[in-house]
Amino acid sequence: MTHPNSSAAPVLSVRHLKIDLHGGAQTLVHDLSFDVRPGEFLAVVGESGSGKTMAARAILQLLPPGIAQSGGQIVFDGEDLSTRDVKAMRPIRGPGIGMVFQEPMVSLNPVHRIGEQMAEGLRMHTKLSAAEIRARCLDMLRRVQIADPERCLHAYPHEFSGGMRQRIMLASVMLLKPHLLIADEPTTALDTLSQREVLDLMVGLAKDQGTAVLLITHNLGLVGRYAQRAIVLEKGKLVETGDVPAILVDPKQPYTRKLVDALPRRQAAKPAPAAPQQPLVQVRGLCVSYPGARAGFFKRHAPVQVIDQLDLDIHPGEMVALVGGSGSGKTTLGRAILRLAPSHAGQILFRGDDVRRADRAALHRFRLACQLVFQDPFSSLDPRMRVQEIVAEPLRHLPALDAAARGKRVHETLDEVGLDGLGARYPHELSGGQRQRVAIARALVRRPAFVVADEPVSALDMTIQAQVLRLFQSLQAHHGFACLFISHDLAAVEQIADRVVVMERGRIVEQGPRDAVFDQPSHAYTQALLAATPRPLASLAESVPRPSEKVFA
Amino acid sequence: MKKLKTHTLVGGVLIGVLLVLALVAALWTPYNPLGIDLRGKLQPPSAAHWLGTDEFGRDVASRAMRAASTSCLIALLTVALATAVGLVVGVLAGFVRGWTDRVLMAFNDTLLAFPGLLLALGVMVIVGANQWGIVLALSMAYAPSVVRVVRGTVLSLREREYVEASRMIGNGEIYTMWRHILPNCVAPVAVLATSMFGWVLLSESALSFLGLGVPPPAPTWGNMLSSARPYMASAVWLCLVPGLCIALTLLGINLLGESLRDRLDPRTEKS
């Protein structure tokens, strides 16, 4: 692959950048050097704590208090930015270097209209008249495919979804035609479909305006799809730098290899059970609706149908993946099956008994056989309890176990999830991945027959995701529970699922064995989801033929 | 960690001295705090009377000590009663929700709408001006703010995923509330309770100052302060002593409250 302008002077040239915490107590970035060439799409890859965000903030001289650049140069447009003071940076921020942040929900000011926020930059950096500014804003909003841009200018940020807000953010940054755009995990908070929209628009706009893009991400899939070059950071050090197909297909450094290996891979399908079994969970005609918004003191709008006449079977020992974009109702379905959310019609049969109409005792028996693993490992554990207490808690409903047997079971389970010896810790003393292991241990300690896992790995780093997925898979193989695995990440689903169920707006649009759904998706929505999922290894395998294992075909 | 230790130390010493004085005063004071000696009135601090004497020749040090036990007892009882009532009502409102919540909160907000001191005055008029009357009146004045804090905390805690996880485990609602919600309410309530101790001391002084506190001649810091007012220029120690007592107690309580909050949160335990 050849790069346009690969011989031209770089837009940004970082030399021996060093960033310290509290005057040298800890070094966050060591001796980092890289160039960004005009018009190129460069990815900065690394896990949490690798210093990638700090490096990006240093470029804009936006380091948080207590953290400072202690060495090196950041040369932009022939001048070292680190010698500029706050006032001298102002003409650079915006027209020189633009930045898109990770969290679209908080990066727009909620009390100002979109139009005012977009116009701010142009008013400050150009001498355009109000009418011209308005025209440019409208133009740009159209460019990022916001429907009805006129209305958008007068709307407030809360009226838009996360993906739309990120597009608006992108529009207001690109209005100033920066030479360099820094995007710090711009789509991590979005679902697969919005992620694709935002990044495709970003690439298109950058190409139109000749902007170079520095994309900071932990997602190698995005790197493979969008970037021309990548640099890999580990604990603040530059580990590897290289052109994109090569660095993913044939990484030179062990750390890069580890990141690439963490990409989800499809594994051989389990042999189907010989005799058809009675399903463990049968959902029949389930409906869930939320009460409508208040329309007056006594009146409400019509209820919103979240789950609509839904049927689903889950067999014993089966791993069923439930996929869909944000708002498709997949989380609500999981919670409704467990009766954590109320449902309004239909049946939920567990081993033949209707759970929806169960009385207290029957519901208690049902709960004893079921468990839930939450998405956010930071809020699903009681901060005041030690790990061993958290894991032991479900056992208090098993009177057959005495104290010694309980202790033994807790110990065994912690051992199984790889948390041996951490029982006396509090949740805040653990990392995200370890916390999610605690949550899994809590769910499995009672040997449930059915587990609902709601996005259990989406809050974790790529390598940790891979570890937790593998752990989950091996535990499932060992204990043989049935599992409803809810996820918007088709890559993870491909690795783990036996059967895939695709949901759109409260209905199942397609379901079938994993290989069938992934290889021959029949419904348009499934096809769109699959197309939006970055599949780095597969797409690269076409350009660089290489006898690798079948990954994400 | 270092900062925490200084807080705890200074706060602990202040409150420790106060408690020792209050306890000792219950058994012994240098002079009889009620003993009138009109020949030796308004004497400045001396070897015989360390903190001087008041307008009736009573020993100010003895009176301040006795007042410490009365004031602290009133403040402690009030804080205990207000916190207990506040916790019960707040948890009930936050956890049961629905109509229970609405009725309780409507009543609570009505109470909150009155200025605390005015409410206390009203109650005092009904139950009479004595030690127990003050405790009851001030509890009624302060419980509503505890209710607000507890209800808010419970409402946010009950949506946490670990509360849902507890439900999934098969735990009953009451157990969940006891095991997962109440302990997580302790930190904000403890902080509120310590600052409340200070407010109650002040309110009690204010009530005494208005003549509705513990009836004279029994001393409290508030009524000492109020009777010292005419002598502010001529016998400055008369208002300085109770004033300083109140100020130092408040300081100690606040320092101790801050370290208590840090202590109660396991997240700061080992940092």
Side-chain angles (χ1 to χ4, degrees):
Chain A
M1 193 182 268
T2 55
H3 302 293
N5 307 321
S6 59
S7 55
V11 184
L12 176 82
S13 177
V14 174
R15 287 287 166 267
H16 310 294
L17 176 66
K18 186 163 179 263
I19 299 174
D20 281 341
L21 180 70
H22 294 307
Q26 195 190 341
T27 304
L28 302 174
V29 173
H30 305 264
D31 194 25
L32 176 66
S33 301
F34 65 90
D35 286 343
V36 185
R37 298 168 194 153
E40 111 175 305
F41 203 116
L42 175 71
V44 180
V45 185
E47 293 177 280
S48 311
S50 61
K52 52 192 196 305
T53 295
M54 285 307 143
R57 290 184 158 259
I59 294 170
L60 278 170
Q61 305 289 307
L62 281 175
L63 286 172
I67 295 177
Q69 180 183 346
S70 58
Q73 288 142 19
I74 297 165
V75 181
F76 176 77
D77 212 6
E79 201 184 338
D80 185 3
L81 294 184
S82 48
T83 58
R84 292 194 172 217
D85 61 5
V86 179
K87 208 173 159 201
M89 273 309 290
R90 283 171 61 184
I92 299 288
R93 296 176 184 158
I97 306 177
M99 182 146 183
V100 176
F101 295 92
Q102 171 170 3
E103 197 45 77
M105 294 300 169
V106 295
S107 53
L108 288 168
N109 188 335
V111 301
H112 291 299
R113 296 174 196 276
I114 300 291
E116 294 164 40
Q117 302 195 42
M118 287 186 73
E120 236 177 3
L122 284 177
R123 270 209 303 272
M124 182 151 156
H125 295 288
T126 66
K127 292 195 174 70
L128 296 174
S129 70
E132 283 170 313
I133 288 179
R134 188 181 146 80
R136 286 211 189 175
C137 288
L138 286 175
D139 213 37
M140 189 49 95
L141 283 175
R142 246 172 250 131
R143 180 72 184 76
V144 297
Q145 292 165 18
I146 296 288
D148 199 357
E150 298 272 350
R151 205 191 65 77
C152 172
L153 285 184
H154 296 282
Y156 287 97
H158 73 263
E159 300 173 43
F160 298 95
S161 70
M164 288 170 93
R165 282 190 219 190
Q166 203 63 314
R167 266 147 55 194
I168 292 169
M169 198 65 216
L170 179 68
S172 55
V173 172
M174 294 307 282
L175 260 183
L176 296 169
K177 301 198 164 56
H179 301 296
L180 174 66
L181 173 68
I182 300 177
D184 187 1
E185 301 269 11
T187 57
T188 308
L190 307 179
D191 73 13
T192 322
L193 290 172
S194 327
Q195 164 169 298
R196 174 162 205 198
E197 279 169 10
V198 169
L199 285 176
D200 283 355
L201 283 168
M202 186 183 286
V203 170
L205 276 168
K207 200 169 263 174
D208 289 356
Q209 304 189 351
T211 304
V213 180
L214 189 67
L215 174 73
I216 296 161
T217 184
H218 69 269
N219 189 338
L220 283 184
L222 299 181
V223 176
R225 178 173 238 158
Y226 296 104
Q228 288 141 15
R229 270 191 331 130
I231 62 179
V232 181
L233 293 188
E234 181 193 14
K235 296 191 188 114
K237 293 199 180 87
L238 182 73
V239 181
E240 185 166 0
T241 170
D243 290 342
V244 154
I247 202 169
L248 293 182
V249 176
D250 185 20
K252 298 277 182 289
Q253 298 296 322
Y255 181 72
T256 320
R257 159 71 46 200
K258 193 177 129 199
L259 290 180
V260 172
D261 284 345
L263 287 169
R265 281 144 211 268
R266 189 190 293 197
Q267 284 158 4
K270 266 189 278 181
Q277 287 169 294
Q278 175 70 19
L280 182 71
V281 180
Q282 286 171 288
V283 178
R284 289 288 169 268
L286 189 70
C287 292
V288 177
S289 55
Y290 289 152
R294 279 184 186 280
F297 197 74
F298 292 108
K299 278 189 295 184
R300 278 177 180 278
H301 289 293
V304 183
Q305 201 75 16
V306 189
I307 307 279
D308 192 7
Q309 291 285 336
L310 187 133
D311 296 343
L312 179 68
D313 283 350
I314 298 167
H315 294 271
E318 192 182 28
M319 179 74 86
V320 178
L322 185 61
V323 300
S326 311
S328 58
K330 51 191 196 306
T331 293
T332 310
L333 175 61
R335 292 166 47 88
I337 292 177
L338 294 176
R339 266 194 64 178
L340 284 170
S343 43
H344 297 100
Q347 286 182 310
I348 302 162
L349 301 173
F350 182 74
R351 291 181 175 140
D353 299 326
D354 190 355
V355 181
R356 266 200 74 224
R357 290 191 186 72
D359 56 13
R360 273 178 82 101
L363 180 63
H364 190 70
R365 280 198 304 278
F366 170 64
R367 292 249 162 108
L368 288 188
C370 293
Q371 270 313 309
L372 177 61
V373 178
F374 295 88
Q375 167 173 8
D376 182 3
F378 288 88
S379 71
S380 66
L381 306 175
D382 187 339
R384 308 192 72 87
M385 287 170 78
R386 292 175 193 277
V387 167
Q388 58 207 14
E389 295 172 314
I390 293 173
V391 178
E393 205 187 0
L395 296 178
R396 59 186 288 271
H397 295 287
L398 297 183
L401 290 181
D402 59 13
R406 277 180 205 187
K408 190 160 163 283
R409 176 76 77 88
V410 169
H411 189 77
E412 272 172 23
T413 312
L414 282 177
D415 210 14
E416 270 181 349
V417 298
L419 289 179
D420 202 14
L422 298 183
R425 300 261 190 108
Y426 281 103
H428 71 273
E429 296 168 318
L430 303 177
S431 69
Q434 287 172 326
R435 285 162 153 251
Q436 200 58 305
R437 286 161 192 264
V438 175
I440 292 174
R442 172 178 61 192
L444 299 187
V445 71
R446 216 160 50 192
R447 308 279 182 262
F450 177 51
V451 175
V452 175
D454 188 358
E455 305 266 12
V457 295
S458 16
L460 307 175
D461 258 352
M462 279 304 237
T463 47
I464 310 294
Q465 258 186 32
Q467 287 169 13
V468 172
L469 270 184
R470 241 173 268 142
L471 170 75
F472 204 71
Q473 230 173 348
S474 71
L475 288 172
Q476 201 245 355
H478 184 226
H479 295 296
F481 51 85
C483 179
L484 184 67
F485 187 90
I486 300 169
S487 179
H488 69 265
D489 180 10
L490 286 174
V493 165
E494 183 174 31
Q495 171 168 340
I496 202 167
D498 298 324
R499 202 152 59 81
V500 178
V501 177
V502 184
M503 255 181 104
E504 184 191 16
R505 275 186 251 121
R507 290 167 184 271
I508 292 178
V509 293
E510 180 166 2
Q511 59 176 314
R514 177 198 57 192
D515 292 356
V517 172
F518 273 80
D519 295 338
Q520 285 114 31
S522 59
H523 194 275
Y525 186 70
T526 317
Q527 288 159 1
L529 275 179
L530 275 170
T533 304
R535 314 151 118 190
L537 299 172
S539 57
L540 298 171
E542 289 161 20
S543 56
V544 185
R546 133 179 303 271
S548 58
E549 51 192 305
K550 187 171 185 194
V551 283
F552 221 110
Chain B
M1 201 64 207
K2 181 114 188 176
K3 190 174 156 212
L4 185 100
K5 274 188 177 152
T6 351
H7 278 182
T8 321
L9 197 70
V10 176
V13 165
L14 283 172
I15 298 306
V17 167
L18 173 79
L19 287 180
V20 167
L21 281 180
L23 280 177
V24 169
L27 304 169
W28 173 85
T29 45
Y31 293 82
N32 178 1
L34 308 180
I36 295 176
D37 175 16
L38 286 174
R39 272 171 305 178
K41 71 174 181 176
L42 292 174
Q43 283 178 8
S46 63
H49 297 282
W50 288 359
L51 299 176
T53 59
D54 70 2
E55 72 276 20
F56 295 112
R58 298 175 295 198
D59 182 44
V60 173
S62 305
R63 285 178 68 74
M65 276 173 75
R66 179 60 61 82
S69 43
T70 322
S71 295
C72 285
L73 186 69
I74 290 176
L76 269 177
L77 287 176
T78 307
V79 169
L81 190 62
T83 314
V85 171
L87 267 175
V88 170
V89 177
V91 167
L92 206 65
F95 205 73
V96 179
R97 299 203 288 190
W99 277 105
T100 318
D101 183 27
R102 276 182 224 179
V103 172
L104 284 175
M105 290 324 283
F107 183 66
N108 194 60
D109 290 347
T110 316
L111 286 184
L112 266 180
F114 288 100
L117 209 57
L118 203 65
L119 190 68
L121 278 176
V123 179
M124 293 291 296
V125 170
I126 298 167
V127 295
N130 58 52
Q131 207 161 316
W132 308 115
I134 294 178
V135 169
L136 198 68
L138 289 179
S139 306
M140 270 192 74
Y142 284 109
S145 50
V146 185
V147 171
R148 267 277 161 210
V149 169
V150 173
R151 174 177 174 272
T153 316
V154 170
L155 276 182
S156 88
L157 287 175
R158 58 171 291 141
E159 302 301 329
R160 298 280 168 91
E161 287 180 338
Y162 58 79
V163 171
E164 203 148 69
S166 167
R167 223 165 272 153
M168 269 317 296
I169 283 168
N171 292 333
E173 296 294 296
I174 292 176
Y175 178 87
T176 302
M177 191 162 85
W178 183 252
R179 186 83 177 94
H180 295 288
I181 292 186
L182 258 188
N184 283 294
C185 286
V186 166
V189 170
V191 174
L192 184 67
T194 47
S195 50
M196 206 159 69
F197 190 92
W199 302 335
V200 172
L201 266 183
L202 279 179
S203 303
E204 181 268 323
S205 303
L207 280 178
S208 300
F209 193 84
L210 294 172
L212 266 168
V214 175
T220 68
W221 290 335
N223 66 22
M224 285 172 73
L225 206 54
S226 101
S227 59
R229 203 170 34 137
Y231 309 97
M232 197 114 67
S234 55
V236 72
W237 61 91
L238 279 186
C239 37
L240 216 54
V241 171
L244 271 178
C245 283
I246 294 173
L248 287 176
T249 309
L250 288 186
L251 181 67
I253 284 283
N254 279 325
L255 289 176
L256 216 56
E258 203 163 307
S259 66
L260 185 70
R261 186 194 55 213
D262 295 341
R263 253 332 133 73
L264 284 172
D265 191 341
R267 272 163 289 197
T268 51
E269 197 176 68
K270 281 172 197 158
S271 51

